[in-house]
Every structure is written in structure tokens, then in C-alpha cells.
Amino acid sequence: MAGTSCVKCPLRNRSLFTPFTDEELEFMQSFKTGEMTVEPGTTLLLEGSNSPQLLTVLNGMGVRYTAMQNGRRQVINFLFPGDFIGLQAGIFGEMKHSVEATTAMTLCVFRRDDLWRLFRQNPARGYDLTWIAAVEEHFLGETISSLGQRDAIQRIAWAFVRIFERLKASGMATAGRVPLPFRQQDLADALGLSLVHTNKTLKVLRLTGLARWSDGELEIGRMAELAEIAMIELEKPQQRPLM
């Protein structure tokens, strides 16, 4: 099999992810069919398509989005290393949203037809997949709460805290910064804000020293205060399964 073996996966030792048992590691090695590397802007999965592949982000970042009838797109959320992609097509037969690479990405590839083999032969891994789906549902609920109950600065503070803590637990923090290569428009879409309002709010956060997002990097100046603005408890991200 081409690419990185599951035994040598660089994500396995990150604190964000639950450890594999020897049995799970052996199964995932047989489940994985290869890797693919894509350039920024590549469409990985297309809304309405019937993709034969399931993917895990090994490195790089991307966005999930849905296309509107007026030609615009709505960013749903962001993709980070360790995220599992394509489950919708595995269950519904087609994708209900699209996935695009924001940066160059490397992804582990699995055959969608093997999904049921995973549930049959390794129920623990099947439970992990269910857990991932449940977390996605929880995050969607938290996002809707933000759209309905948080103002602009609270929404952006919430997003920055969640993203920073996720990437830090993934081993991606360097000198108090994490990579965040998305556009302001992507963040505005995901948080239900206009680009102008987003830009003004980011300026306030920068001038007050709370957070700075520039040149593709996010730096948090005062995390506890930012979490208080976001109306969330500052806590370590829960460990999650790695597919």
C-alpha cells in the first residue's frame, strides 16, 4: 500500500486522538487502500455525487460547503487533520455537501464498499464512527446556538477558542500560534456574518490584544478572557477516535 502505514501515522501520538489497540491498528491497515495528495482548491467530494471513497485528513485543511441556487456557497464548517470525510455518501448514497481543499492536503483513502465490513468485523471501530457522527451533530447544535444567541464578537470568539484548542491538541501550535489559512469570507459564512461585520470585529479583537488573525495564522492573546466573551467554559478538547 502506498503512503504512510497506520503504524507510523503521525496523528496517532497526538493527545487529541484516542490510542489504537493492536487489533484496531491491524484492521485499519487492512481497511486503508492508499493515500491521495491534492492541491489547494481541489474539490474532494461534490454535493450530489456518489463517491466510492471515504477519506481521513492526514494533513492540510479544507472546508465543507453547500451550493445555493443563486450560485453562492455556504461554508458549513472547517476540516482539520484527523477529520473523517464522506460518511454521508456512505449512508445516503450521495453527498449532501461538497468538500474543498483550502491548502495542499494528504488524505487516507478507504473504499466506501468496505464500510459495512467495518461494522461487521470490528464493532468497536463501528462505534467510533457512530461517535464521530454524534460529535458532528453536537457541533452543529452548538453552531446553531451561536447563530441564534451570540453577537458578532461572541461568535468569532467562540470559533477562535474552539479552533485554537482543537489545533493545539493536534500538535499544531507553535509559539502560541496555530495555522488558520482560511479566508475572512469563509469565517463570515460559517458564522452567519457579513464580510464587513467580520472584518470590523476582527479589528476590535486585534486592537484589544485578545486575538490576531493574519497571514494565515491565529494568535490568542488572552484565552480565558476570549472564552468568557464566547460564553463557554475553557476546557481541553475531548479525545476523539481517529479513523
Side-chain angles (χ1 to χ4, degrees):
M1 179 186 66
T4 306
S5 70
C6 294
V7 174
K8 297 181 179 179
C9 175
L11 299 178
R12 284 184 57 213
N13 296 323
R14 307 288 168 82
S15 63
L16 180 63
F17 303 109
T18 53
F20 283 108
T21 65
D22 291 341
E23 179 186 2
E24 289 171 341
L25 193 60
E26 182 179 359
F27 178 83
M28 291 308 296
Q29 188 70 60
S30 69
F31 188 51
K32 180 178 176 179
T33 61
E35 288 178 11
M36 70 177 186
T37 301
V38 300
E39 296 299 318
T42 301
T43 298
L44 300 172
L45 297 171
L46 184 64
E47 187 173 357
S49 68
N50 187 8
S51 172
Q53 297 175 328
L54 303 169
L55 307 167
T56 291
V57 180
L58 188 58
N59 60 57
M61 298 185 190
V63 293
R64 289 186 175 103
Y65 72 92
T66 185
M68 310 301 290
Q69 289 186 348
N70 61 4
R72 299 181 64 182
R73 75 176 194 175
Q74 172 65 47
V75 172
I76 300 171
N77 60 18
F78 304 111
L79 290 170
F80 302 115
D83 281 339
F84 187 66
I85 314 170
L87 183 59
Q88 280 191 349
I91 301 299
F92 299 125
E94 67 176 39
M95 289 296 297
K96 301 300 183 181
H97 60 255
S98 298
V99 179
E100 180 181 282
T102 300
T103 68
M105 298 180 74
T106 301
L107 304 108
C108 301
V109 180
F110 314 97
R111 291 180 66 249
R112 195 187 77 183
D113 290 345
D114 285 342
L115 183 61
W116 305 118
R117 179 169 71 88
L118 181 146
F119 281 96
R120 288 195 307 269
Q121 296 183 5
N122 200 310
R125 292 267 74 193
Y127 176 83
D128 287 343
L129 203 55
T130 305
W131 191 96
I132 290 171
V135 168
E136 291 289 340
E137 181 180 358
H138 170 73
F139 183 77
L140 178 60
E142 194 173 358
T143 302
I144 293 173
S145 296
S146 285
L147 297 180
Q149 300 299 325
R150 292 184 173 97
D151 61 23
I153 195 167
Q154 290 170 334
R155 293 182 201 181
I156 293 178
W158 168 77
F160 279 179
V161 170
R162 292 292 190 233
I163 290 171
F164 190 94
E165 290 300 304
R166 162 72 189 268
L167 296 180
K168 180 181 177 181
S170 299
M172 300 178 69
T174 303
R177 297 180 177 89
V178 296
L180 196 64
F182 305 104
R183 305 174 305 161
Q184 283 191 20
Q185 185 66 65
D186 295 331
L187 182 67
D189 282 353
L191 297 178
L193 299 170
S194 70
L195 181 59
V196 172
H197 204 168
T198 299
N199 185 272
K200 289 180 178 179
T201 306
L202 289 171
K203 183 178 180 180
V204 170
L205 291 172
R206 183 176 68 252
L207 292 177
T208 55
L210 285 167
R212 177 184 295 271
W213 180 29
S214 62
D215 299 324
E217 289 188 328
L218 172 63
E219 180 180 6
I220 304 296
R222 301 193 299 278
M223 178 63 80
E225 189 173 339
L226 197 65
E228 184 177 355
I229 291 172
M231 299 188 297
I232 56 177
E233 296 290 333
L234 190 57
E235 56 189 10
K236 186 177 180 180
Q238 185 177 4
Q239 276 195 319
R240 56 191 294 141
L242 178 64
M243 298 302 294

